[in-house]
Amino acid sequence: MNSDQVVTRFAPSPTGYLHIGGARTALFNWLFARGRGGKFLLRIEDTDRARSTPEATAAILKGMDWLGLDHDGEVISQFDRADRHAEVAHEMLASGHAYKCFATQDEIQAFRDAAKAEGKSTLYRSPWRDAAADTHPDAPYVVRLKAPREGATVIKDAVQGDVTIRNDQLDDMICLRSDGTPTYMLAVVVDDHDMGVTHAIRGDDHLNNAARQMLVYQAMGWDIPVWAHIPLIHGADGKKLSKRHGALGVEEYQALGYPAQAMRNYLARLGWSHGDDEFFSDAQALEWFDLKGIGKSPARFDFKKLDNLSGQHLSAMEDEAVLAAYEAFRSVTGEDMLHPQKRDLLLKAMPVLKTSAKTFPQLTEKARFILADRPLERDEKAQGALDEVSRSILKELTPQLQNVSWDRNTLETVLNDLAEAHGTKFGKLAAPLRAALAGRAATPSVFDMMLVLGPDETIARLKDAAT
RNA sequence: GGCCCGUUCGUCUAUCGGUUAGGACGCCAGGUUUUCAACCUGGAAAGACGAGUUCGAUUCUCGUACGGGCUGCCA
């Protein structure tokens, strides 16, 4: 095994869906590891039994899967490793780096309330820190880390630079709860160490915690991984991302009809940059991604830009790939499976469809002339285009199309000639043709539709509209 | 309250002391056109504020303001 190998991890807590901010954190870790031939691990931080649910774990896995963020090895449950965490806590107890604290939660709460009321620091100083063992009562206790009170702790962060926190700001964090279960603060350190994590890219809500976690590394004599604390994503109003901003879970973006590679591109670009590159492939992201390019300030989520990127990716994707992703989208949103025949037509029309749609719902709209069956339901605008005059022209057109060779040039000639015969331009004919072929006023090019539909279906639809 | 972090066009960002402060999305105008979209051309649009260091600050330092985070026997 190569000791230089990069190992990253994504460590969400299973209390809900995969949050969009979490997805970006996962993406950064994935890009960093995969781009360097390293490993990307997944650990579920489920030590809070009251809030963790298997449904949430499943939702996170699903979200990761959709985003294409594959992890190495088994999914690790932090809760399953509780014994190991306790073992480390007891080691620190034995080595004098930790101590038993018998203060009850009520006592501590009372202290905090009083401190707050007086406007004083709410940092709790346990009276048990230096208590002799023979004074210990026979009562439940928590294991606290004995943090230094002098000097300062410097967090070396790959994004934030050196962050110095005075030790008198640190409390003696709890490692083991009074019921013997480990806290996140301890577990995260033990797990990262045991899993061989070399780089931990995580939200900057953990930046302050890093100082206390560092003490555990020091107490155990372990190497500290490279930390990179990335700023959180904010909503469009600059406030913390919350439910009122709409889409929060990645599965919502899937349901909104964004292809996964567009999501990866957009998310990567949110808070990270590689010069002026905006639109890029996964291969390029993998090659370019580094910690240096990560910005320090929080970014806001912008759907307009996502839309644009999404459109560019759709255009650049292979026809089959777009179709496959589109089918997955349809199944997620509960739409019918595509009939093989319609699938073929969609594939045939894909070069046109994919370049004019930004999202899958838009693609559905553009593909309406394929998806809808005769007799077509027409909206008001389409119906309006089929006035008396137009219908008579369509009636005149049908026989002319009967035996022509079905290619673009011929069709253009026929329609242009017809328009000329009526002393008008083709543009005038286009509206009723759209209405006849798609039942809508906004559609792909008339010729594109005719070519995809073929002569029989085209003529049948024209006849439907003419009567 | 204490501590920590952040602040360049509306948004995402580039800039490693010297630039007409660049790009992208969006927006506006024009063009193309067979509707919508797409596409092409052009345009408006930014260094939070105040000091200091320097020949010279968006860039370095300090302060202020604003925003965010932490301050849990949550993660």
Side-chain angles (χ1 to χ4, degrees):
Chain A
M1 184 155 160
N2 185 353
S3 61
D4 293 336
Q5 187 181 45
V6 165
V7 178
T8 66
R9 48 66 163 181
F10 176 51
S13 50
T15 54
Y17 39 64
L18 175 55
H19 188 278
I20 191 69
R24 186 187 58 157
T25 303
L27 175 68
F28 281 15
N29 279 288
W30 181 84
L31 284 171
F32 191 74
R34 291 273 179 268
R36 276 149 231 272
K39 282 192 157 68
F40 171 64
L41 310 178
L42 180 61
R43 181 176 72 227
I44 303 295
E45 310 229 311
D46 50 359
T47 50
D48 183 347
R49 302 316 287 169
R51 298 199 305 159
S52 300
T53 67
E55 291 76 25
T57 299
I60 289 167
L61 256 24
K62 225 173 135 188
M64 298 276 290
D65 186 55
W66 173 62
L67 271 178
L69 306 182
D70 58 320
H71 59 271
D72 291 297
E74 298 295 306
V75 177
I76 293 167
S77 157
Q78 188 159 64
F79 178 71
D80 286 351
R81 294 175 40 79
D83 290 349
R84 166 62 177 154
H85 303 144
E87 179 186 312
V88 169
H90 285 104
E91 258 184 66
M92 292 197 294
L93 215 43
S95 64
H97 289 289
Y99 63 92
K100 297 176 180 177
C101 171
F102 296 86
T104 65
Q105 294 191 57
D106 288 345
E107 282 171 34
I108 298 171
Q109 193 52 49
F111 161 79
R112 289 212 176 94
D113 290 346
K116 205 161 219 169
E118 289 177 59
K120 287 183 180 167
S121 166
T122 55
L123 271 189
Y124 182 67
R125 300 298 193 196
S126 173
W128 301 96
R129 181 173 157 114
D130 298 307
D134 55 18
T135 66
H136 287 359
D138 182 20
Y141 59 86
V142 298
V143 174
R144 284 183 187 272
L145 184 75
K146 195 180 274 185
R149 293 186 175 171
E150 310 277 304
T153 298
V154 179
I155 303 161
K156 292 198 176 300
D157 190 282
V159 171
Q160 309 290 344
D162 287 358
V163 177
T164 304
I165 294 175
R166 289 204 318 274
N167 287 151
D168 60 17
Q169 296 298 323
L170 266 26
D171 65 359
D172 293 343
M173 72 174 191
I174 293 176
C175 296
L176 240 40
R177 302 187 183 101
S178 50
D179 64 0
T181 60
T183 59
Y184 154 80
M185 285 293 187
L186 198 232
V188 75
V189 172
V190 176
D191 289 345
D192 279 350
H193 171 264
D194 288 359
M195 289 160 69
V197 171
T198 60
H199 300 257
I201 305 171
R202 57 186 356 182
D204 73 2
D205 47 336
H206 293 285
L207 182 57
N208 285 283
N209 294 334
R212 292 188 292 176
Q213 290 166 199
M214 245 177 96
L215 302 175
V216 176
Y217 281 101
Q218 286 165 355
M220 295 303 293
W222 292 340
D223 286 340
I224 298 168
V226 173
W227 272 317
H229 288 97
I230 62 178
L232 272 16
I233 297 176
H234 287 177
D237 56 3
K239 300 289 187 189
K240 189 178 178 180
L241 210 50
S242 70
K243 288 204 175 63
R244 56 173 206 288
H245 294 96
L248 270 182
V250 290
E251 80 283 349
E252 292 180 63
Y253 291 85
Q254 182 184 20
L256 249 20
Y258 296 104
Q261 50 266 73
M263 209 61 207
R264 286 192 290 273
N265 187 164
Y266 179 70
L267 249 22
R269 199 61 194 64
L270 213 52
W272 171 80
S273 63
H274 181 264
D276 283 337
D277 295 304
E278 302 281 350
F279 170 71
F280 43 77
S281 66
D282 290 324
Q284 287 171 308
L286 253 5
E287 186 190 329
W288 293 336
F289 189 82
D290 60 358
L291 266 22
K292 271 188 193 157
I294 299 176
K296 293 175 140 191
S297 49
R300 302 183 188 202
F301 200 94
D302 181 11
F303 276 98
K304 292 282 180 54
K305 183 128 184 185
L306 208 210
D307 282 349
N308 177 274
L309 241 22
S310 180
Q312 291 192 63
H313 273 95
L314 246 22
S315 300
M317 285 163 72
E318 297 291 339
D319 296 348
E320 260 298 348
V322 177
L323 188 50
Y326 178 60
E327 288 182 293
F329 162 76
R330 286 180 67 97
S331 90
V332 160
T333 53
E335 283 169 276
D336 296 338
M337 284 248 302
L338 257 17
H339 287 289
Q341 206 179 348
K342 290 197 186 295
R343 194 181 191 283
D344 287 346
L345 290 181
L346 278 176
L347 197 55
K348 202 168 160 191
M350 198 51 82
V352 169
L353 296 175
K354 72 178 184 184
T355 48
S356 62
K358 292 178 175 176
T359 61
F360 290 131
Q362 285 178 18
L363 194 141
T364 296
E365 190 52 34
K366 297 282 181 186
R368 189 191 158 71
F369 75 100
I370 293 170
L371 268 8
D373 292 309
R374 292 179 53 216
L376 295 187
E377 164 269 322
R378 297 189 192 92
D379 67 8
E380 210 172 308
K381 277 187 180 172
Q383 201 56 53
L386 290 170
D387 56 24
E388 194 100 6
V389 181
S390 301
R391 287 212 302 274
S392 77
I393 295 178
L394 291 186
K395 208 169 283 180
E396 189 184 335
L397 172 63
T398 4
Q400 294 184 33
L401 292 175
Q402 216 68 254
N403 290 305
V404 299
S405 101
W406 208 255
D407 60 78
R408 188 177 297 265
N409 280 341
T410 309
L411 293 175
E412 276 183 22
T413 306
V414 171
L415 287 171
N416 279 322
D417 287 353
L418 181 64
E420 207 171 317
H422 285 267
T424 178
K425 286 193 169 182
F426 168 69
K428 285 284 180 193
L429 285 186
L433 281 167
R434 270 180 238 292
L437 296 173
R440 288 288 183 277
T443 73
S445 147
V446 167
F447 298 109
D448 286 333
M449 290 194 291
M450 292 174 86
L451 288 168
V452 168
L453 256 16
D456 294 349
E457 182 68 18
T458 298
I459 290 168
R461 291 187 185 197
L462 292 182
K463 281 182 177 166
D464 287 349
T467 51

